[in-house]
Amino acid sequence: GTLGRLASPRRVVLWGAGKESRPWLRWLLREGHEIPVIVDVDPRKLGSLRQGRVPVVPPEELARIQADLCLVLVGARGARAQIRRALAELRPDWREGEHWLAVR
């Protein structure tokens, strides 16, 4: 499956800086993955660092980020459809289920 791709270290972007992402972030870092950024839309979270080293950035930054996989960790109602549209616009080269997936 898609998560099988996490068997070897990868560059993984997380979309969502809320509590849903914390265990994923800790696990991925512990497993040796590189987390270049966490994407979020909440102005209060933007510019902060998670685990002391992973910057929280707005979605527009995705266009320039090198990543192997994006995990969408947002549970708010309606958010997934908005994120799907944003990813289609910002990263038309990414396919759902291949380059990104919603895990929540």
Side-chain angles (χ1 to χ4, degrees):
T2 306
L3 290 180
R5 281 185 254 175
L6 294 174
S8 60
R10 302 275 195 189
R11 292 168 301 184
V12 182
V13 168
L14 301 182
W15 188 311
K19 62 183 182 306
E20 298 94 348
S21 70
R22 287 185 200 124
W24 281 93
L25 177 59
R26 285 193 300 269
W27 179 76
L28 289 164
L29 291 171
R30 195 168 56 242
E31 294 295 311
H33 297 279
E34 177 190 339
I35 314 296
V37 297
I38 298 173
V39 174
D40 207 285
V41 296
D42 184 341
R44 294 167 304 187
K45 294 175 183 164
L46 297 176
S48 66
L49 293 176
R50 297 299 155 104
Q51 294 291 307
R53 62 186 195 240
V54 183
V56 179
V57 302
E60 301 76 57
E61 296 284 316
L62 270 184
R64 64 169 189 80
I65 298 296
Q66 293 296 311
D68 300 305
L69 189 63
C70 176
L71 299 179
V72 176
L73 301 159
V74 179
R77 186 180 303 282
R80 191 170 297 176
Q82 291 178 326
I83 291 169
R84 185 175 280 120
R85 284 193 300 274
L87 282 165
E89 184 180 314
L90 294 163
R91 292 305 300 249
D93 55 319
W94 286 4
R95 301 279 169 260
E96 184 172 2
E98 186 180 345
H99 302 101
W100 74 270
L101 67 150
V103 292
R104 181 146 201 301

